[in-house]
Amino acid sequence: MCLEADLILTMELEQKRFIEQQYPFARGRVYRLAESMDIQDPFRRPQKIYDIVIALLDQQVAAWARRINGVNSVASTAND
């Protein structure tokens, strides 16, 4: 999957480092979903934690979508 991916998003810095270590060719395509912080796995945590994590994931995915769409808009304009 890493060979085919243009973008790989992780929840934690350690996950990013692991992917880059195991698949060095993926460097430059691996980013943390929330660049300045880890998003902890809410597994076996209270429902409130799940709710917080889901809200954070939604927020960060939307931010990445805006970033990607902005890049695509610039690229498509340059190619027109």
Side-chain angles (χ1 to χ4, degrees):
M1 288 191 290
C2 288
L3 284 172
E4 297 174 8
D6 293 327
L7 175 65
I8 301 166
L9 297 172
T10 67
M11 290 175 55
E12 299 176 359
L13 183 57
E14 189 56 38
Q15 293 167 334
K16 178 184 182 300
R17 288 179 179 155
F18 176 82
I19 292 169
E20 291 175 333
Q21 180 183 2
Q22 295 297 310
Y23 310 101
F25 57 83
R27 284 192 181 112
R29 294 183 281 156
V30 185
Y31 299 89
R32 271 192 302 182
L33 189 59
E35 293 182 69
S36 62
M37 62 184 253
D38 286 347
I39 300 174
Q40 299 297 319
D41 187 347
F43 185 67
R44 293 189 176 170
R45 305 282 305 273
Q47 183 63 42
K48 183 177 180 178
I49 301 299
Y50 275 89
D51 295 341
I52 292 168
V53 170
I54 291 298
L56 184 56
L57 289 172
D58 283 345
Q59 179 185 42
Q60 294 304 316
V61 167
W64 273 99
R66 286 190 301 276
R67 184 180 302 171
I68 290 166
N69 287 331
V71 169
N72 288 340
S73 297
V74 172
S76 65
T77 303
N79 291 331
D80 291 341

